[in-house]
Amino acid sequence: MPMALYSFFDEYDLSGKTVIPFNTHNGSRFSGTIDTIRDLEPGANVVTDGFTVNENNVADAVSDVTEWLRGLGY
């Protein structure tokens, strides 16, 4: 997870909020990021079914993102 996100989670208390992780990657997928967010924000509802896409497939991911968001109820 980028240092900027560690700083963000350190600065803000997201207790009672829902955190919906998503990212691009180059083969690592989430690499424990969701668990890290849960540790940093224990009072938040962290969605464990985050969306991740390989950086080489971002341009073709529109339908995948749409389906994922619909599955979350958005």
Side-chain angles (χ1 to χ4, degrees):
M1 189 164 72
M3 193 63 204
L5 286 177
Y6 282 96
S7 297
F8 176 84
F9 290 126
D10 187 44
E11 181 72 24
Y12 297 97
D13 177 8
L14 300 180
S15 294
K17 306 291 185 192
T18 298
V19 178
I20 305 174
F22 61 93
N23 75 346
T24 61
H25 65 85
N26 189 19
S28 62
R29 300 192 47 85
F30 277 114
S31 296
T33 297
I34 293 174
D35 289 334
T36 300
I37 294 170
R38 291 172 80 185
D39 290 344
L40 295 172
E41 294 292 341
N45 172 30
V46 181
V47 173
T48 58
D49 184 23
F51 183 81
T52 184
V53 62
N54 186 285
E55 65 184 20
N56 296 318
N57 300 325
V58 170
D60 299 322
V62 172
S63 62
D64 294 332
V65 171
T66 301
E67 181 180 328
W68 172 68
L69 289 171
R70 283 188 182 138
L72 291 173
Y74 295 98

